[in-house]
Amino acid sequence: MRLPLLRPADLTAEQQSLHQAFDAMVEGGEEYTGFEVRDADGAYVGPWGVMLHFPEMGRALGRFVDLAQQLPGLSERARQVVILTVGARFNVAYEMYAHARLASRAGLRADQIAALCAGGRPAGLAEDEVLAVDVATALTEGGPLPGPLYDHVVERLGQDALDAIVFVTVHYLALGTILNAYDVKAPAAS
């Protein structure tokens, strides 16, 4: 990583406040088990390790993330499909590392996860998951979301699902950009 990892003892008061918020989030959710969130010295890695360098931005992004994750209409499997689609599109190592584990936990098969991480649309996905891949792919290619795709998703899944796909895509585009800017790699041994 291009920024140094910040050990808890080295944090400013502003960073400590954000670190405590990260602690509450990570320790309060099963979602953060199964992949490295902190190193052996207790320093946050991944997006948390970067955001501690920018506490005000970290808090703002955290609020957006909370809101995006609460949007109705998207199954956990479809949400993971969106995240892996975005991660693969921009080769975001940590995003694919962490969310491959979460996708497996959500019930996606290893071959489906591998295909998503390679930028593909795997066989055997449910309709909402296929449409999630299609929307996330279209949004990351630039330009407006094609009207027929927009209409089809709203007709088949509802406006809430389309909105959730859009904002989960935005969330992981932001995190992916941050992770790639600071060259955050996936942990070597996992």
Side-chain angles (χ1 to χ4, degrees):
M1 183 162 108
R2 293 182 173 129
L3 297 171
L5 293 178
L6 300 171
R7 293 177 307 144
D10 299 332
L11 300 175
T12 67
E14 192 175 23
Q15 290 168 329
Q16 286 175 355
S17 171
L18 185 58
H19 190 276
Q20 290 169 351
F22 289 164
D23 285 346
M25 175 181 66
V26 168
E27 292 166 9
E30 188 178 303
E31 179 178 349
Y32 302 99
T33 60
F35 58 93
E36 188 175 322
V37 175
R38 287 178 262 216
D39 71 5
D41 294 327
Y44 276 102
V45 300
W48 306 278
V50 173
M51 295 315 296
L52 279 171
H53 287 272
F54 311 97
E56 285 187 52
M57 295 297 292
R59 276 189 281 286
L61 184 58
R63 178 73 176 127
F64 177 82
V65 167
D66 287 344
L67 293 171
Q69 289 184 358
Q70 293 175 30
L71 289 172
L74 199 59
S75 71
E76 183 58 22
R77 283 175 52 108
R79 183 175 167 278
Q80 294 303 325
V81 164
V82 170
I83 296 164
L84 290 176
T85 299
V86 173
R89 171 72 173 91
F90 295 101
N91 195 26
V92 185
Y94 188 90
E95 208 164 85
M96 290 188 290
Y97 153 77
H99 287 276
R101 285 145 179 82
L102 295 173
S104 177
R105 196 179 307 159
L108 289 165
R109 299 185 319 256
D111 64 302
Q112 292 172 319
I113 294 167
L116 287 164
C117 288
R121 189 216 268 171
L125 295 178
E127 181 183 27
D128 64 327
E129 298 158 3
V130 169
L131 293 174
V133 169
D134 291 348
V135 171
T137 299
L139 289 172
T140 59
E141 289 177 346
L145 186 62
L149 178 57
Y150 181 99
D151 294 341
H152 183 68
V153 173
V154 170
E155 177 186 317
R156 298 297 300 160
L157 306 180
Q159 187 68 49
D160 285 346
L162 183 278
D163 297 341
I165 294 167
V166 169
F167 284 100
V168 170
T169 300
V170 170
H171 166 194
Y172 283 91
L173 281 170
L175 282 182
T177 300
I178 291 165
L179 291 168
N180 280 346
Y182 298 102
D183 197 21
V184 177
K185 305 218 182 312
S190 45

